[in-house]
Amino acid sequence: MSLGFTAAAHRASLSGTGGISWNLGLYDMMAIIGFDASNPMVINLGANDGNCNYHYLEHYWNFDAANCLVDKGWGGVFIEGDAEKFQKLSARFSPIPRVLLANSQITPSTVLDTVLGTLTNVDKTGVEAVSDRILSGEVDLLKIDLDFGDCDFAEHLLTKVRPRALNVEINPLFPPPIAFRQRFTDSSFKRLFNGSVLHWHSGCSLSAYLDVLGPEYVLAQVDYDHAWFIREDLTTNLVRVRQGATLNTWELWLQGYFCDPLRPVQSIGNLKSQLDFRSWPEACMPRHGEKANQEDLQKVLASVRSLLTKSGAREVPRHSREVLASVRSLLTKSGAREVPRHSREVLASVRS
């Protein structure tokens, strides 16, 4: 597998596991994507205590891309539900112009109102500049790391906000094309705070996020248990930096998570599952370039279903299939006839 990078194109950076990575670093990524340099703007769902943690001597496992950008003069909306963490966040960010804060235990149905509610803080210096960008929907970065039902929050916010890029926490245990998606519920929220959340039973896999984001966004990079998605219309510079190389979802997952040297070390928390998660990707993509065996793939799916069912999960149709089904039903009743098209094209036309 060719990574398509050269030393001249970018520099080594800190990965999500605290090691040196040849993935694009935060500042390089945003420079390549491009942003409004006169009024750069971010929305941060799960701002923690405001720390950046972009250094191997810090708590690098809590690296926060959005918090780091404040150090570079960015503004935006920062939301944190934990009162103790918010107190530290407020002490760090309150004096900074164009940085609006909210201490709120948000849900998918309240997240948009919470973001807009911060814009009413008329006493905050620079609130107009933040309001202009947020209300236009054109923000530079949306970062989501809430640990419960994250895909649901993205789905709700993207009805009104059109970020240039998303930096999100993922559940990397589920290799593409397995789409695992934890739905937000009050019980999942409570389990988060009493420490009973199972790692393999939370968050969203890469394929689940791709289902939610649709054709308007493409996967740009995987940083262990975080991923970068950028708007499809902004990929030109990224492809240029990669010297024309286009990596698919599977290759990016292998490069960013599965081949990370610390992956085996950090998997001790998964021992409760009594399952060797390495068996999943090895069956999906055998070594030596062999094609996946359908029987092995069915065993993987059976293993996934068994594990999640024991944890109380239930299987539902993929999001794109649900949309297509409703579209077919609506148009057929109106006398329309269906012609073959790529499913992503159908979703794009539905959204527009």
Side-chain angles (χ1 to χ4, degrees):
M1 177 180 67
S2 172
L3 303 186
F5 290 108
T6 67
H10 72 293
R11 57 184 178 272
S13 62
L14 185 70
S15 75
T17 58
I20 297 299
S21 169
W22 282 103
N23 275 349
L24 289 166
L26 164 63
Y27 307 121
D28 292 327
M29 179 68 80
M30 293 312 302
I32 290 169
I33 297 170
F35 56 90
D36 183 351
S38 65
N39 187 25
M41 201 60 52
V42 62
I43 296 176
N44 188 354
L45 306 185
N48 207 287
D49 60 4
N51 261 317
C52 169
N53 296 317
Y54 196 45
H55 192 278
Y56 70 93
L57 291 179
E58 297 177 311
H59 296 165
Y60 53 77
W61 53 89
N62 280 331
F63 164 66
D64 190 302
N67 290 345
C68 294
L69 291 171
V70 174
D71 295 338
K72 297 294 183 179
W74 285 46
V77 174
F78 295 74
I79 299 175
E80 174 54 47
D82 183 275
E84 184 176 346
K85 292 177 181 177
F86 182 80
Q87 188 174 10
K88 297 177 181 178
L89 172 71
S90 182
R92 180 173 280 107
F93 281 174
S94 287
I96 304 175
R98 298 189 304 113
V99 174
L100 307 180
L101 309 177
N103 180 204
S104 176
Q105 294 183 351
I106 52 177
T107 69
S109 60
T110 65
V111 60
L112 183 59
D113 288 340
T114 302
V115 170
L116 297 178
T118 65
L119 306 180
T120 62
N121 185 3
V122 295
D123 296 327
K124 177 71 177 185
T125 304
V127 65
E128 299 87 357
V130 180
S131 182
D132 289 345
R133 292 295 309 277
I134 299 294
L135 293 178
S136 72
E138 293 289 331
V139 298
D140 297 300
L141 177 66
L142 169 61
K143 175 247 158 179
I144 304 177
D145 185 350
L146 296 168
D147 298 326
F148 53 94
D150 289 14
C151 272
D152 290 2
F153 288 88
E155 200 166 46
H156 277 71
L157 263 186
L158 290 176
T159 61
K160 297 295 183 181
V161 178
R162 189 170 177 260
R164 298 174 70 85
L166 291 92
N167 179 259
V168 299
E169 184 180 39
I170 60 169
N171 188 327
L173 293 176
F174 299 88
I178 298 173
F180 167 78
R181 175 177 177 178
Q182 176 198 30
R183 297 283 185 172
F184 176 86
T185 62
D186 289 337
S187 60
S188 68
F189 180 76
K190 292 175 181 177
R191 285 198 301 270
L192 174 69
F193 286 95
N194 65 24
S196 61
V197 175
L198 302 173
H199 188 202
W200 61 89
H201 196 205
S202 63
C204 292
S205 68
L206 277 177
S207 292
Y209 253 116
L210 286 169
D211 279 353
V212 169
L213 300 179
E216 190 175 5
Y217 289 89
V218 299
L219 176 64
Q221 186 166 286
V222 175
D223 293 323
Y224 199 72
D225 57 356
H226 283 73
W228 284 91
F229 297 92
I230 65 176
R231 280 210 325 249
E232 196 276 335
D233 59 314
L234 303 173
T235 59
T236 303
N237 286 340
L238 184 65
V239 173
R240 186 179 299 123
V241 168
R242 286 177 169 163
Q243 297 184 315
T246 55
L247 304 183
N248 60 37
T249 305
W250 173 261
E251 290 173 323
L252 288 169
W253 177 84
L254 282 179
Q255 172 189 312
Y257 169 71
F258 193 72
C259 295
D260 190 293
L262 286 185
R263 178 186 57 81
V265 177
Q266 296 194 359
S267 65
I268 189 170
N270 297 323
L271 292 178
K272 292 181 181 180
S273 68
Q274 298 182 336
L275 173 71
D276 185 355
F277 288 95
R278 292 173 298 180
S279 64
W280 289 356
E282 288 173 357
C284 292
M285 185 65 71
R287 299 175 184 178
H288 310 301
E290 301 171 1
K291 289 186 177 181
N293 182 289
Q294 287 300 316
E295 184 178 346
D296 289 340
L297 290 177
Q298 289 303 317
K299 289 180 179 179
V300 170
L301 291 176
S303 174
V304 172
R305 289 188 178 101
S306 175
L307 175 68
L308 295 178
T309 301
K310 290 177 181 177
S311 304
R314 62 187 180 89
E315 185 173 2
V316 296
R318 294 278 290 272
H319 177 70
S320 57
R321 293 178 182 176
E322 294 173 335
V323 172
L324 288 174
S326 64
V327 170
R328 285 192 180 102
S329 175
L330 175 65
L331 295 180
T332 301
K333 290 178 181 178
S334 303
R337 63 184 182 87
E338 184 177 1
V339 295
R341 288 186 67 188
H342 192 283
S343 60
R344 289 197 169 191
E345 292 177 3
V346 174
L347 285 175
S349 65
V350 170
R351 292 188 175 187
S352 65

